[in-house]
Amino acid sequence: MEIKRSGSQPSNKGPAEYFTGAVRIDPLFQAAAPGRAVGASVTFEPGARTAWHTHPLGQTLIVIAGCGRVQREGGPIEEIRPGDIISFAPGEKHWHGAAPQTAMTHIAIQEQLDGKAVDWMEKVTDEQYEG
């Protein structure tokens, strides 16, 4: 058994290479081998968002605060709110972030394949974000 005490892991700023706007990433867990699951709490300030990306084994988001947006390639922009659970299939290109006027926090859970949990791509343009 392992207990990670609240506040024992430092917060990180979302790298500008992969995020637009102010984003805070709070690590939650990383399973020990042979486990592959990784989890983080991610807070997006209004208008902030990820770049387009995929996950080799998929991703699950659990919205816990605020209001956000999510889109898979070729699909409409969807509004997401606390209690919503969003699942992305392995390799599904997508982005997610806050609504234009409201911050949003979600728990992100994904598994690593050969030590890699995400493949980052191009940034989401303002035009794409605004729909």
Side-chain angles (χ1 to χ4, degrees):
M1 180 172 84
E2 178 183 10
I3 299 174
K4 290 196 191 258
R5 300 289 180 198
S6 179
S8 68
Q9 300 180 90
S11 298
N12 299 297
K13 183 178 178 182
E17 184 179 1
Y18 307 130
F19 296 90
T20 297
V23 178
R24 186 183 77 237
I25 303 169
D26 292 297
L28 296 175
F29 65 88
Q30 182 165 346
R36 303 184 293 190
V38 178
S41 175
V42 185
T43 300
F44 299 82
E45 291 301 317
R49 57 199 178 264
T50 68
W52 287 99
H53 61 284
T54 63
H55 300 275
L57 296 176
Q59 182 182 49
T60 300
L61 305 177
I62 305 166
V63 183
I64 60 172
C67 182
R69 291 181 170 183
V70 65
Q71 184 180 27
R72 66 179 177 163
E73 185 176 44
I77 294 172
E78 302 280 352
E79 183 177 276
I80 54 175
R81 297 188 170 275
D84 290 350
I85 300 170
I86 303 94
S87 297
F88 296 103
E92 184 173 36
K93 187 175 178 180
H94 67 281
W95 65 268
H96 36 98
Q101 303 299 321
T102 308
M104 185 270 295
T105 301
H106 64 50
I107 304 294
I109 303 167
Q110 51 276 325
E111 289 185 277
Q112 299 180 77
L113 180 62
D114 299 324
K116 190 172 191 179
V118 62
D119 290 303
W120 292 105
M121 299 168 185
E122 71 276 10
K123 285 196 170 187
V124 173
T125 66
D126 290 342
E127 293 76 22
Q128 289 172 321
Y129 175 76
E130 292 163 7

